[in-house]
């Protein structure tokens, strides 16, 4: 991972752009000092080195004013208050229930690498801004576990093991938040019902939003919301395709399409809750984001636009790692490596026939 001091463009030239943007937004807008603004821009530019975007879309510069605009004021306020810059990342829901994709319901080396990267991201910000940064990992498995086929006990196991993993690797700038934290005395169904009653929209409203958003298209002619629907549909269809299941491919696809709408509806409600409870936090997302979006897409491991540790396994080849589905690792002749406590951790590929394995230069956290 690059250090914060390397490869960051000079951002002082956009000071006037910010002042113009602020004056258009409000006649009484507070103008930060030039030094504060430049520091905030350096932090954002550093984070944007690791942004997750759609490779088929036009790629903005790291100091793109439109990409910075939704997040800049939050960072400025943190600097002016001499507080850490805080981020919120809805992610780490729990492992896919399909064991053709993952090793087990528990976090493994994939999560360790991803959490380690997030801690390194905070460390890099500390090199720029000594007060540092914090990331609130908003584990959302409980939000939609009943829709995607995750067992409640597996979600609980994942959440608990994730907390243990954060402590074990010394990721002191990462914090966890989930529905269990918010409503500890409610049962899981009641948690979800309360979430949707306070922050959810109806299925009909969501479908209308998808239809109306089609005018805001990317280079493939797909709206950001529609693209997300297609991506989640694909994941759900994969999770439902396993040995012994008797549904037809078309039936799985139809069912997954409807489930994806509910996952998005629940996720949007979870996002609204986070915004309500933590309005000062800069919003991150595991999904690719377009220029000027309210969230910054962030890579966890490698540059794949959609793959995550909870939908795959970490595969080691030499000194570096790549995420892929379990059956893909097995097809490469990968062997399972177990951790010191006897739990499956990752795959290692020793074969020379790995021409198609493009490893990502993200090394294991020490």
């Amino acid at each position: 991972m690059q250090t914060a001091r390397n490869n960051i463009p000079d951002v002082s030239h956009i000071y006037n752009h910010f002042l113009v943007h602020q004056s258009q937004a409000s006649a009484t807008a507070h103008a930060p000092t030039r030094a504060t603004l430049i520091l905030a821009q350096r932090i954002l530019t550093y984070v944007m080195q690791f942004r997750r975007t759609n490779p088929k879309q036009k790629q903005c510069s790291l100091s793109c004013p439109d990409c910075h605009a939704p997040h800049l004021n939050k960072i400025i306020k943190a600097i002016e208050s001499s507080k850490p810059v805080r981020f919120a990342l809805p992610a780490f829901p729990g492992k896919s229930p399909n064991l053709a994709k993952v090793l087990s319901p528990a976090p493994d080396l994939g999560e360790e690498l991803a959490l380690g990267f997030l801690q390194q991201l905070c460390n890099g910000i500390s090199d720029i801004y000594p007060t540092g940064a914090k990331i609130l990992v908003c584990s959302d498995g409980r939000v939609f576990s009943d829709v995607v086929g995750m067992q409640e006990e597996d979600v609980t196991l994942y959440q608990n093991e994730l907390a243990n993993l954060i402590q074990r690797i010394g990721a002191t700038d990462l914090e966890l938040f989930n529905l269990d934290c918010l409503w500890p005395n409610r049962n899981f169904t009641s948690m979800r019902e309360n979430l949707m009653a306070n922050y959810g929209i109806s299925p009909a409203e969501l479908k209308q939003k998808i239809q109306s958003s089609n005018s805001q298209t990317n280079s493939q002619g797909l709206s950001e919301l529609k693209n997300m629907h297609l991506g989640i549909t694909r994941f759900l269809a994969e999770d439902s395709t396993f040995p012994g299941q008797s549904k037809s491919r078309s039936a799985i696809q139809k069912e997954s399409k409807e489930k994806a709408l509910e996952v998005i509806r629940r996720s949007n409600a979870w996002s609204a809750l986070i915004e309500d409870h933590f309005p000062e936090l800069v919003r991150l997302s595991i999904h690719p984001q377009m220029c000027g979006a309210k969230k910054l897409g962030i890579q966890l491991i490698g540059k794949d636009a959609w793959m995550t540790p909870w939908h795959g396994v970490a595969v080691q080849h030499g000194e570096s790692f790549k995420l892929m589905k379990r059956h893909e690792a097995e097809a490469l002749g990968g062997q399972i490596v177990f951790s010191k406590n006897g739990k499956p951790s990752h795959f290692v590929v020793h074969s020379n026939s790995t021409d198609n394995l493009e490893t990502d230069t993200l090394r294991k956290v020490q």
Side-chain angles (χ1 to χ4, degrees), residues 156-167:
T156 300
L157 169 70
Y158 188 88
Q159 291 178 169
N160 292 339
E161 290 296 316
L162 206 63
N164 293 336
L165 181 56
I166 287 173
Q167 184 175 19

Side-chain angles (χ1 to χ4, degrees), residues 60 88 105 142 161 171 205 262 267 290 292 306 318:
C60 301
R142 195 78 74 197
E161 290 296 316
E205 287 179 277
E262 183 61 15
S267 295
M290 300 173 72
W306 286 96

Side-chain angles (χ1 to χ4, degrees), residues 51-91:
R51 60 184 168 173
R52 176 173 280 187
T53 61
N54 188 328
K56 296 182 180 180
Q57 295 176 4
K58 179 183 177 181
Q59 301 299 299
C60 301
S61 70
L62 298 183
S63 57
C64 172
D66 291 331
C67 289
H68 282 208
H71 320 289
L72 199 55
N73 275 329
K74 293 180 179 180
I75 296 179
I76 287 171
K77 289 179 181 178
I79 294 171
E80 291 178 334
S81 302
S82 299
K83 294 180 179 178
V85 178
R86 300 189 68 208
F87 299 84
L89 175 63

Side-chain angles (χ1 to χ4, degrees), residues 36-238:
T36 297
L37 176 59
I38 291 175
L39 178 56
Q41 289 284 0
R42 288 188 64 208
I43 292 170
L44 264 178
T45 300
Y46 173 68
V47 174
M48 284 185 65
Q49 292 182 89
F50 311 102
R51 60 184 168 173
R52 176 173 280 187
T53 61
N54 188 328
K56 296 182 180 180
Q57 295 176 4
K58 179 183 177 181
Q59 301 299 299
C60 301
S61 70
L62 298 183
S63 57
C64 172
D66 291 331
C67 289
H68 282 208
H71 320 289
L72 199 55
N73 275 329
K74 293 180 179 180
I75 296 179
I76 287 171
K77 289 179 181 178
I79 294 171
E80 291 178 334
S81 302
S82 299
K83 294 180 179 178
V85 178
R86 300 189 68 208
F87 299 84
L89 175 63
F92 298 91
K95 289 291 194 181
S96 162
N98 188 344
L99 290 179
K101 296 174 66 176
V102 301
L103 282 167
S104 78
D108 51 39
L109 184 63
E111 278 81 3
E112 181 177 341
L113 290 170
L115 292 170
F117 163 75
L118 293 176
Q119 178 59 49
Q120 289 175 12
L121 187 68
C122 292
N123 294 345
I125 293 173
S126 294
D127 286 343
I128 301 169
Y129 173 57
T131 307
K134 301 285 185 182
I135 297 177
L136 185 68
V137 176
C138 303
S139 182
D140 48 2
R142 195 78 74 197
V143 171
F144 44 70
S145 54
D146 59 323
V147 179
V148 302
M150 295 165 62
Q151 299 299 311
E152 300 290 9
E153 58 267 28
D154 289 341
V155 175
T156 300
L157 169 70
Y158 188 88
Q159 291 178 169
N160 292 339
E161 290 296 316
L162 206 63
N164 293 336
L165 181 56
I166 287 173
Q167 184 175 19
R168 180 167 64 79
I169 67 174
T172 55
D173 292 320
L174 306 187
E175 303 167 336
L176 283 179
F177 177 73
N178 51 50
L179 279 182
D180 300 37
C181 299
L182 195 60
W183 296 307
N185 297 321
R186 292 178 178 266
N187 62 49
F188 302 139
T189 299
S190 176
M191 289 179 189
R192 289 187 283 266
E193 289 175 345
N194 202 42
L195 169 69
M196 298 310 294
N198 287 281
Y199 298 99
I201 62 173
S202 71
E205 287 179 277
L206 176 59
K207 290 179 180 179
Q208 180 59 41
K209 286 184 70 173
I210 293 176
Q211 291 175 357
S212 62
S213 71
N214 284 336
S215 59
Q216 302 173 351
T217 59
N218 60 28
S219 59
Q220 292 180 289
L222 296 174
S223 73
E224 187 175 359
L225 194 54
K226 180 66 174 177
N227 197 41
M228 181 180 293
H229 184 220
L230 290 174
I232 294 175
T233 298
R234 175 167 62 86
F235 278 130
L236 292 176
E238 289 175 351

